[in-house]
Amino acid sequence: QVQLVEPGGGLVQAGGSLRLSCAASGSIFSINAMGWYRQVPGKQRELVASITSGGSTNYADSVRGRFTISRDNAKNTVYLQMNSLKPEDTAVYYCNVISGRGGSYWGQGTQVTVSS
């Protein structure tokens, strides 16, 4: 069993900042990639940002320069610092972890709402 816990999220005004975190625990002995996705009703879940075990990062064009993904390997935790938030960033954000054995695990999702 692998659990991903995502505290954080909430309501913020446009231009503001939020920091999401996601901690993996349970039967996960090594982690490869970690990432954040988001989804709005009626649309597919989309990749926001990802980070490899070596620290290489990838961002969606819509968030590049505003969001920063990072990870703490000792804590099996991934973070998403979101700055200059826009109303179109409103979504449910999900963390994803790819284990060393190739398993894919999802967090429960956390709502981020950006008011104009």
Side-chain angles (χ1 to χ4, degrees):
Q1 287 279 352
V2 176
Q3 295 84 37
L4 300 182
V5 178
E6 303 180 34
L11 173 65
V12 64
Q13 287 189 332
S17 298
L18 277 175
R19 188 192 196 208
L20 304 181
S21 65
C22 174
S25 63
S27 302
I28 187 163
F29 302 104
S30 66
I31 296 176
N32 284 337
M34 307 180 84
W36 289 95
Y37 291 71
R38 66 187 182 187
Q39 189 170 24
V40 298
K43 292 191 176 181
Q44 289 189 331
R45 192 172 296 186
E46 64 174 2
L47 174 69
V48 175
S50 63
I51 184 168
T52 68
S53 57
S56 296
T57 58
N58 181 48
Y59 295 94
D61 289 342
S62 59
V63 307
R64 188 174 291 112
R66 299 188 296 122
F67 291 10
T68 302
I69 189 171
S70 61
R71 61 189 283 173
D72 183 334
N73 291 329
K75 296 180 179 179
N76 286 343
T77 299
V78 61
Y79 304 95
L80 185 68
Q81 178 65 45
M82 304 184 291
N83 298 329
S84 302
L85 282 160
K86 303 176 181 179
E88 51 263 44
D89 294 318
T90 295
V92 178
Y93 284 70
Y94 298 89
C95 69
N96 175 259
V97 166
I98 307 297
S99 73
R101 294 184 175 183
S104 179
Y105 304 93
W106 291 92
Q108 78 277 11
T110 187
Q111 177 70 47
V112 172
T113 302
V114 184
S115 63
S116 57

